[in-house]
Structures are given as C-alpha cells and as structure tokens.
Amino acid sequence: KAGVTQTPRYLIKTRGQQVTLSCSPISGHRSVSWYQQTPGQGLQFLFEYFSETQRNKGNFPGRFSGRQFSNSRSEMNVSTLELGDSALYLCASMEQGATNEKLFFGSGTQLSVL
Amino acid sequence: KQEVTQIPAALSVPEGENLVLNCSFTDSAIYNLQWFRQDPGKGLTSLLLIQSSQREQTSGRLNASLDKSSGRSTLYIAASQPGDSATYLCAVRMDSNYQLIWGAGTKLIIKP
C-alpha cells in the first residue's frame, strides 16, 4: 500500500496570501488529522476529519480550516498568511480513527511565509 | 492544561549502548501514550502505543513503559545502532477530548 502523501513538499508564500495543502491518506483509511510543527512550539494538533466530518479541533484561529472529501483525501487551507505560520505541516491517517490506533504520517509540507 | 516534557533534549551515545529516553506528563487522565521517531526532513513513524491500562509494550529492541500515576513513560532502546539516530517524540492522548499533546522530543545521536 502507498503511504500518506502530502503535496506540495515545499511552498513559499508572502504575508496576506492564502494557501491550500493536500493530504492523501493510506487507501482504506478514513481518519485524517493535521498538525503544525515549529521549532518554538513543537507539534500542535490542528484538526481531525473522519468520513468528511470534522471530529476534533485544536486551538488555532479561524484562518486555519480544512475539509475532507468522499475519497478521504483532505485539504487544509490557511488564509491571510502571517510570518508565524511558517512551519512544517504534517498530516496523519488512521483506518477507523479509533483512539487506540497508530497514526501513519506523511512527510509534510514545509511552508515558508515571507 | 496537560504538559508533556521530554528530558534530555539531546543525547549522544556510542554504538552498542543501552539507553533510556524519558517522557513526563502533568495530567494522568490520559487514554494512551505513543512514542514516535522523526528523521530529518521526514514525517513521524509510530514506534509503540501503550494504552492507559497497560504497563509496557515491546517491539524488537524497543521497550516502552508507562506509569500513569506518576506521570512518566520511558523508552528503552537496547544495543543502539547508528540507524537509531533520530528525534524521538512522545505524545499523550487525552481522556477528555482525545487530542494528542506532544513533547518537544529528544534528539538522539548514536556514534559509530
């Protein structure tokens, strides 16, 4: 099976722009979660989707949003980019989204905001 | 508010040594705890998952323990190899909202 695929791998944007990141989970996995990783704050949970519904959300402003499609692929959108949004954005998938399941991560999208 | 701490932040040991990485958390109301490794420029790989009712999990040369009452977990790596060099992160899944709270990681270097 192919692993979790994130595109693009690298992205450079300027302040005020918006960006959309994509995540394709492992085939058959229905849960997709997103995380932000920065040197200062470490890893932080953004949100989780299961069967096209947002099931959980972290403490991020409304500029961060996401969605999940019927094929379980997910997109994350950040509007009105700020310098502090520069980070590695990781997505992870689980088969059923059960709390005792292991997470499978993609390689991430490195976003730089100038 | 749950806080997850990993000490030390970095560790360098010669190949072949056994070593222990530590993870502590302030709120014992957790569902489970997971250990991950992250290689530079890559995503995370799940190593071990311990349910709150379990005391330890083993996979190959790795053994993770959990003491929920004291808010501690350890990851034991036996007979370390250069390929074990990576950043190791622990994460606790909260009972209240099922969110994962992450430690900052321990950067491990195994010297040949």
Side-chain angles (χ1 to χ4, degrees):
Chain A
K1 271 185 181 177
V4 179
T5 304
Q6 289 189 248
T7 56
R9 185 73 178 88
Y10 300 95
L11 206 48
I12 299 175
K13 292 286 187 178
T14 56
R15 277 184 302 173
Q17 287 187 311
Q18 75 165 19
V19 67
T20 299
L21 312 181
S22 178
C23 173
S24 294
I26 291 172
S27 177
H29 284 199
R30 296 162 63 190
S31 165
V32 174
S33 51
W34 288 89
Y35 303 83
Q36 181 195 66
Q37 187 176 31
T38 61
Q41 298 295 319
L43 264 161
Q44 293 181 282
F45 168 73
L46 280 157
F47 28 64
E48 182 200 2
Y49 287 87
F50 182 80
S51 293
E52 302 179 66
T53 300
Q54 187 181 85
R55 193 161 70 167
N56 213 335
K57 189 177 189 307
N59 296 322
F60 277 80
R63 299 185 298 107
F64 292 82
S65 63
R67 59 178 175 170
Q68 186 180 32
F69 302 96
S70 58
N71 62 358
S72 292
R73 189 178 71 87
S74 177
E75 288 182 345
M76 188 191 109
N77 185 75
V78 187
S79 62
T80 320
L81 284 166
E82 301 178 358
L83 295 178
D85 297 333
S86 295
L88 178 66
Y89 290 88
L90 294 161
C91 83
S93 73
M94 292 191 288
E95 187 172 357
Q96 294 295 332
T99 52
N100 61 348
E101 285 185 75
K102 288 186 177 181
L103 289 161
F104 294 85
F105 279 84
S107 297
T109 293
Q110 184 69 55
L111 172 65
S112 297
V113 182
L114 306 178
Chain B
K1 180 188 171 188
Q2 176 74 277
E3 292 184 3
V4 180
T5 304
Q6 291 186 249
I7 294 173
L11 184 62
S12 180
V13 300
E15 179 179 6
E17 282 200 6
N18 303 324
L19 58 98
V20 173
L21 306 182
N22 297 294
C23 173
S24 61
F25 46 95
T26 55
D27 185 346
S28 62
I30 66 170
Y31 202 85
N32 58 40
L33 182 146
Q34 300 183 58
W35 283 93
F36 297 84
R37 68 173 280 168
Q38 184 173 28
D39 295 280
K42 295 188 178 180
L44 284 73
T45 301
S46 178
L47 298 173
L48 290 164
L49 184 154
I50 312 177
Q51 301 297 346
S52 62
S53 58
Q54 297 175 321
R55 296 288 291 182
E56 65 178 337
Q57 282 287 329
T58 299
S59 176
R61 293 182 294 108
L62 305 180
N63 176 277
S65 68
L66 174 64
D67 184 342
K68 209 171 79 160
S69 60
S70 67
R72 294 181 60 187
S73 176
T74 61
L75 179 66
Y76 175 83
I77 303 176
S80 58
Q81 303 169 358
D84 294 330
S85 298
T87 296
Y88 290 80
L89 298 106
C90 70
V92 299
R93 190 177 289 280
M94 300 303 298
D95 246 345
S96 55
N97 57 17
Y98 299 119
Q99 290 188 15
L100 277 176
I101 309 298
W102 297 81
T106 293
K107 184 174 182 179
L108 176 64
I109 297 174
I110 307 298
K111 298 175 288 187

